[in-house]
Amino acid sequence: MLLTHARIETSLTLRHGEQILLTLLIPLALLVGLSLLDFLPTGELGSLSRVDWVTPRILALAVLSSAFTGQAIALGFDRRYGVLKRLSATALPRWLLVAGRLVAALVVVLLQVVVLGIVAALLRWSPSGAGIGAAIVLLVLGTLAFGALGVLLGGALRAEAVLALANIVWFVLLLAGGILMAPSSLPGVLGDLVALLPSGALAEGLRAALVDGMFAWDALATLAVWAVAAGAIATRTTKLT
């Protein structure tokens, strides 16, 4: 049942034009644009090439787009149209409804990483081989954390509110959540707070893995806390209608 439900959720996501724009085309455009054009300040790059600096952060953006924003919006409108209510009347247990969505999110993230990785490689991206395993662990845990947050948002508010709020959060985290601006470049306490956000933790963790070949245990712990906390709250607040 889990595999069948996850396959259906994955196919629905991949057939949705707006979802593809958000989850793949925008990250792809940012990857190419930031790698080829002189948008980044020199101090941010250090000795790195633009594509080496940009790629880990765009991978974090891809997870944010699909697991959080896309998940929240899809769930909000499924509730509005009575999809969850009808599914709850079948043999599917409630935990499997959520698990199927999370598995589908993992599949979508895998496809995103493959496409973005190929394009980055064509742009001469050279990740650290020692950090590939750490990056995979962070991507999985990041997907679970953002997926739980997406279920928390999409399962509690009206569809219109979810649509507006999910997109606002996406823009805020992109610009000031540690993705396009490293927490270390932000002043004082603000940088410390951004590093504790799931977006900042995932982006910095992927940078440490793919650039330095290191396992960022603090980023892993931060993502685990967000995943557990958001999942626990979502189980209490998610409504079927």
Side-chain angles (χ1 to χ4, degrees), residues 204-221:
E204 287 301 298
L206 290 175
R207 181 203 58 77
L210 297 174
V211 173
D212 302 325
M214 299 171 56
F215 203 118
W217 292 102
D218 53 345
L220 183 70

Side-chain angles (χ1 to χ4, degrees), residues 41 59 62 66 71 85 91-92 115 147 149 153 162 169 183 194 200 205-206 213 231:
L59 293 178
S66 59
Q71 186 78 253
K85 186 176 181 180
L92 290 174
V115 173
L149 289 167
L153 177 61
V162 172
V169 171
V194 168
L206 290 175

Side-chain angles (χ1 to χ4, degrees), residues 196-208:
L196 295 176
L197 295 176
S199 53
L202 181 58
E204 287 301 298
L206 290 175
R207 181 203 58 77

